[in-house]
Amino acid sequence: MIRCLLFISLLIHPSLAKKQAPQAAGAQAPVKKWQTLSGQPPLVIARGGFSGLFPESSSFANDMANQLKSTDVALFCNLQLTKDGIGICLSDIRLDNSTTIGMIFPKDSKTYNINGQQVKGWFAVDYTSDVIFNNVSLVQSVLSRTNAFDGQLPVSTLEDVTGVRPSSFWVNVQYDAFYTEHKLSVSGYLEKAMRFMGINFISSPEIGFLKNMNGKVNRARTKLIFQVLDPDVVEPTTKQTYGAILKDLAAIKTYASGILVPKGYIWPVNTNKYLGNPTTLVADAHKLGLEVYASGFANDMPASYNYSYDPTTEYLQFIDSPQFSVDGLLTDFSPTASATIACFAANETAKPKKGKALIITHNGASGMYPGCTDLAYEQAVNDGADIIDCSVQMSEDGVAFCLDSADLTGDTTAMPTFMSRSSSIPEVQKEKGIFSFDLTWSEIQTLKPQIVSPFGQNAGYQRNPEAQNKGKFMTLTDFLEFAKAKAVSGILINIENAAYLASKKGLDMVDSVTKALGNATFDKQQTQQVLIQSDDTSVLSKFQGVPAYKRLLRIKEEIGDAPKLTVDEIKKYADGVVVARPSLISTDNGFAKAQTNVLQEMHAGNISVYVFVLRNEFVALPFDFYADPMVELATYVAALEVDGVITDFPGTASRYMRSPCVDLNGEIAIIPAEPGALLKQVPPMALSPANPPNPPLEVADVVDPPLPPVANVSSSTADSPGAPAPSSSGMAITADFGLGLAAITALSLLSRGY
């Protein structure tokens, strides 16, 4: 128990905290009028405590959920009864889904008929409570979540849960008929339990059980809630489907105070994973005085593409509508639900807090539309981005345009149309590709943009498939005119591969960017910031003499330290650095391990630090961030105080920057994660060997050779499509290789190992 208390004291830091601020006499904070039946904020119902991270109803899970004080939180227990009639909290009637019982008693599995279905597993009715408490421990019941805390914690009784003194306690009884068949009385157990513990809600999908409990509870102290299952499932008492029962809300009102329904009953999601129109269920129930609680919320189970992998957006859909609000949310991630209610509801018109980190896009709002298209930039502006970015690429005929990579295979439909034009260019990337500088601008314009899902199309983490190929490519000139017309706070121009393009393709990217910025007068104004980003110090040197420009060095490698000598060298070329997230917070086995010294060392040298790249998908987040991009933002923005965040989802960052919870000194705040706090509680045997620490950034890693002169490359060189294949020596030889310049080029290639 002492270890548990110490653990929770560490993790109070990253939860939603409420700070008591003195108020002037007679002063009252404005009260939001909610669309709930009571007019009060929705109830957060923590399913098994904080079961999104810890095994359900474990002491860790319940204690963590109970720390949330900014909103009302009810601890939710799925009640099961042991052979000797003791109530325990487990997610499923089959114990093998959430405990180690299958490993402890491997030969004890049984099959029972439960509500007309044959169910095989290990069941509480076959074991006394002593056997379970002395032999069995909890495991995470959702396989996609971390198993680092498996086997550490015992099964909890109802007394264990109420022992943490929750503000509300909710007991769910899903299998009363099954326990009755085994001569165990759930209603009798609850009658006794209510004499010495507070039970505020009792829910069940069995109408017979709820009617039986009606005369046994004080309805003023304990609400009876009808749990609605999927529409085609048959209710055991009436033998009607739940879909049919829900059509008669007046009948439900005779035996229940409210209904607990899967969220799809309120906001249907079609087979393509997009939202349909909301139903009238909440409004209809509220007219009859029935409360409506929605279930099925989990940050790590994407529900609809409309939410862009931001769980806050989903919660708001159910509680912040002008037409209705559900009365409560049953969730595996209670901190996120609590934060949404306290920080984000009715806050869409607020302005970002001054002095906070810049919101910089990564290819526009590339989490919602194909990157670097007009639609992605429009969305980014609407979302409140401070800086919109253009990664400049060059066509074969010298047109500068915006696209994330010179390789067209990911961001466009270049495959298979131009497959024959693919090539291997180690100076640009390791993989073979179809490169923009090998196609004319007219050829590129025949392609369609393509949305990129960085975590795999087939892994279930697609991004907005309806916009898969929507939008138009933008030339650099178009991008600059767009930025001026929209009056954004600033632009970021990213330049890569300039040396290769100059020496091998005869394309002067630096000159193209310089002229475009000059033509758009960005070099002579101070109203919009201009950030020039490159991984090449020789490129940044070309922009040194323009006061309007701020130069950023992109450090692609993950680093763990920035010695003063290196920082001093960076200062010669750049005003800021762009670093990967692990360069600021190292990770180990999916957990945030420690904060590095990179940020402090850069700031000590008066160098700004921008973190790259933030994404909403929970698979991109260490477990310490609770599968919630808002906690990641709080960690980098409020705790580390980075100068800017570069993100695929500027709308999520903008919502955080506008919220009252962005200020750690405010009355309420989303408190950042504490790197290492969670990892310390994981037994070493549960972890894989740790990765070696990231190396320090050395001076040699920073300084690049001067840019080569722009070569006069003719269309008849070996790089042209249709040229004969290289000889075995690696030297490209063309049929008319007689010109002196071509011979010099070939010798140069040979000397470099081609």
Side-chain angles (χ1 to χ4, degrees):
M1 184 64 180
I2 293 175
R3 179 173 180 268
C4 178
L5 290 174
L6 289 173
F7 174 46
I8 298 304
S9 71
L10 286 170
L11 292 185
I12 290 173
H13 182 67
S15 66
L16 183 74
K18 182 173 183 177
K19 303 178 182 180
Q20 299 298 329
Q23 290 187 357
Q28 291 186 346
V31 178
K32 171 181 167 58
K33 176 64 176 176
W34 291 86
Q35 297 295 321
T36 56
L37 187 61
S38 67
Q40 298 300 309
L43 178 68
V44 175
I45 311 161
R47 192 184 73 87
F50 188 6
S51 55
L53 182 59
F54 306 108
E56 183 176 340
S57 291
S58 64
S59 56
F60 282 5
N62 287 323
D63 285 337
M64 275 296 296
N66 203 43
Q67 295 297 328
L68 303 171
K69 302 301 182 184
S70 290
T71 57
D72 289 332
V73 177
L75 295 185
F76 183 93
C77 164
N78 270 305
L79 176 66
Q80 313 297 340
L81 292 182
T82 63
K83 189 174 184 179
D84 50 345
I86 300 300
I88 58 177
C89 299
L90 288 171
S91 59
D92 194 334
I93 197 168
R94 293 165 294 183
L95 306 190
D96 46 306
N97 282 350
S98 54
T99 76
T100 58
I101 197 166
M103 294 184 287
I104 305 300
F105 304 109
K107 298 180 181 180
D108 283 8
S109 68
K110 292 186 178 180
T111 301
Y112 289 112
N113 186 299
I114 301 177
N115 294 339
Q117 293 186 342
Q118 297 297 109
V119 180
K120 183 178 181 180
W122 283 255
F123 299 85
V125 294
D126 296 320
Y127 301 92
T128 63
S129 55
D130 283 345
V131 170
I132 291 176
F133 298 146
N134 294 328
N135 296 278
V136 176
S137 54
L138 294 168
V139 299
Q140 176 58 256
S141 59
V142 180
L143 296 179
S144 60
R145 296 171 182 168
T146 179
N147 62 359
F149 303 100
D150 287 2
Q152 292 191 68
L153 303 164
V155 174
S156 295
T157 64
L158 268 69
E159 291 87 345
D160 292 330
V161 180
T162 56
V164 302
R165 299 183 181 277
S167 57
S168 295
F169 184 41
W170 186 310
V171 177
N172 187 53
V173 179
Q174 193 154 349
Y175 300 103
D176 175 64
F178 172 77
Y179 287 113
T180 300
E181 291 174 8
H182 288 80
K183 300 184 172 24
L184 292 169
S185 173
V186 176
S187 59
Y189 171 80
L190 289 176
E191 275 189 277
K192 294 177 183 177
M194 284 187 288
R195 294 173 190 168
F196 58 89
M197 69 174 71
I199 299 178
N200 306 92
F201 300 87
I202 296 175
S203 59
S204 177
E206 298 185 10
I207 294 175
F209 170 76
L210 292 173
K211 289 182 175 179
N212 181 37
M213 290 299 297
N214 243 312
K216 299 179 180 181
V217 302
N218 183 333
R219 295 284 290 271
R221 291 201 301 261
T222 304
K223 294 180 179 180
L224 296 179
I225 307 296
F226 178 46
Q227 182 188 15
V228 179
L229 304 183
D230 290 340
D232 296 331
V233 176
V234 175
E235 192 276 323
T237 306
T238 63
K239 307 304 180 184
Q240 291 182 285
T241 64
Y242 286 97
I245 294 170
L246 204 57
K247 293 178 181 178
D248 190 356
L249 293 173
I252 296 174
K253 184 69 168 61
T254 62
Y255 55 83
S257 301
I259 54 177
L260 173 64
V261 300
K263 57 189 179 182
Y265 276 98
I266 300 168
W267 276 102
V269 177
N270 63 29
T271 55
N272 295 324
K273 294 184 69 176
Y274 285 93
L275 288 177
N277 294 320
T279 68
T280 61
L281 176 61
V282 178
D284 294 342
H286 281 179
K287 287 177 184 177
L288 295 173
L290 271 175
E291 294 179 323
V292 181
Y293 301 90
S295 66
F297 294 93
N299 295 4
D300 56 357
M301 296 180 184
S304 168
Y305 296 119
N306 296 81
Y307 303 136
S308 297
Y309 297 95
D310 181 357
T312 296
T313 302
E314 181 177 18
Y315 289 122
L316 289 173
Q317 196 81 8
F318 287 81
I319 66 171
D320 205 31
S321 165
Q323 286 75 37
F324 69 86
S325 169
V326 297
D327 300 282
L329 304 157
L330 179 60
T331 174
D332 292 6
F333 289 83
S334 48
T336 303
S338 185
T340 302
I341 294 168
C343 301
F344 301 111
N347 198 52
E348 292 301 301
T349 59
K351 295 181 179 180
K353 303 297 182 290
K354 290 183 178 180
K356 290 300 177 183
L358 289 174
I359 302 169
I360 306 173
T361 66
H362 178 230
N363 306 317
S366 55
M368 301 179 68
Y369 290 101
C372 296
T373 59
D374 56 341
L375 295 180
Y377 291 126
E378 284 278 2
Q379 185 67 50
V381 172
N382 293 337
D383 284 343
D386 297 309
I387 308 289
I388 58 173
D389 72 306
C390 171
S391 286
V392 180
Q393 309 302 335
M394 301 292 292
S395 67
E396 185 181 43
D397 49 347
V399 176
F401 67 101
C402 303
L403 201 66
D404 183 53
S405 171
D407 181 5
L408 302 175
T409 57
D411 298 286
T412 78
T413 56
M415 294 283 284
T417 306
F418 292 104
M419 187 183 297
S420 62
R421 308 275 282 275
S422 64
S423 59
S424 295
I425 306 177
E427 300 98 323
V428 177
Q429 66 182 33
K430 295 178 181 179
E431 301 81 13
K432 198 173 184 179
I434 301 170
F435 297 99
S436 66
F437 42 74
D438 289 331
L439 274 66
T440 65
W441 178 238
S442 295
E443 289 174 321
I444 292 171
Q445 287 182 298
T446 66
L447 306 175
K448 291 182 180 180
Q450 189 161 275
I451 198 166
V452 173
S453 299
F455 304 104
Q457 298 277 108
N458 299 325
Y461 305 115
Q462 285 181 280
R463 290 177 169 180
N464 196 13
E466 284 190 353
Q468 177 68 22
N469 300 117
K470 291 184 178 180
K472 298 178 181 178
F473 300 118
M474 295 185 76
T475 65
L476 177 58
T477 299
D478 292 338
F479 169 82
L480 296 176
E481 290 303 320
F482 173 86
K484 291 184 71 174
K486 294 295 183 179
V488 293
S489 298
I491 58 172
L492 182 148
I493 305 297
N494 182 41
I495 301 173
E496 295 185 7
N497 306 315
Y500 174 82
L501 290 174
S503 62
K504 303 295 177 63
K505 297 296 179 179
L507 296 171
D508 195 337
M509 180 183 283
V510 172
D511 184 64
S512 296
V513 170
T514 301
K515 288 179 178 177
L517 288 170
N519 291 338
T521 68
F522 274 96
D523 58 339
K524 296 181 178 64
Q525 53 86 51
Q526 297 179 342
T527 57
Q528 292 176 291
Q529 296 186 62
V530 179
L531 308 180
I532 306 294
Q533 174 185 302
S534 181
D535 59 347
D536 191 330
T537 54
S538 61
V539 170
L540 297 179
S541 297
K542 297 291 186 179
F543 295 90
Q544 189 169 9
V546 185
Y549 300 160
K550 184 173 183 177
R551 296 166 297 155
L552 308 182
L553 177 65
R554 167 80 188 280
I555 302 171
K556 292 186 175 181
E557 299 77 13
E558 295 178 5
I559 60 175
D561 192 29
K564 188 176 185 305
L565 281 176
T566 307
V567 173
D568 290 342
E569 192 66 28
I570 292 173
K571 190 65 180 172
K572 297 176 183 177
Y573 303 96
D575 307 292
V577 292
V578 174
V579 297
R581 295 175 304 160
S583 294
L584 301 183
I585 297 178
S586 61
T587 58
D588 184 6
N589 285 275
F591 294 90
K593 184 177 182 180
Q595 181 180 340
T596 71
N597 295 321
V598 171
L599 184 78
Q600 291 82 352
E601 291 164 337
M602 292 292 183
H603 277 177
N606 199 28
I607 294 176
S608 301
V609 177
Y610 305 86
V611 63
F612 178 95
V613 56
L614 273 58
R615 296 183 168 111
N616 285 0
E617 288 92 342
F618 74 92
V619 291
L621 305 175
F623 298 120
D624 310 69
F625 296 156
Y626 305 162
D628 184 352
M630 295 297 181
V631 178
E632 181 180 43
L633 283 161
T635 303
Y636 285 109
V637 173
L640 274 64
E641 296 184 343
V642 297
D643 299 281
V645 293
I646 299 174
T647 174
D648 291 358
F649 296 90
T652 298
S654 180
R655 175 176 284 151
Y656 171 71
M657 300 295 188
R658 293 197 305 268
S659 83
C661 294
V662 73
D663 184 2
L664 295 184
N665 296 315
E667 184 181 357
I668 53 174
I670 299 177
I671 306 301
E674 179 70 32
L678 197 56
L679 185 61
K680 290 176 183 175
Q681 306 307 314
V682 180
M685 69 283 296
L687 299 172
S688 303
N691 294 324
N694 291 335
L697 183 65
E698 305 292 350
V699 172
D701 302 323
V702 172
V703 181
D704 296 290
L707 288 176
V710 179
N712 182 14
V713 180
S714 68
S715 60
S716 60
T717 62
D719 288 331
S720 298
S727 67
S728 59
S729 67
M731 183 188 299
I733 304 175
T734 59
D736 59 346
F737 208 88
L739 299 175
L741 178 60
I744 293 172
T745 303
L747 289 172
S748 174
L749 290 171
L750 182 61
S751 69
R752 297 183 187 186
Y754 285 85

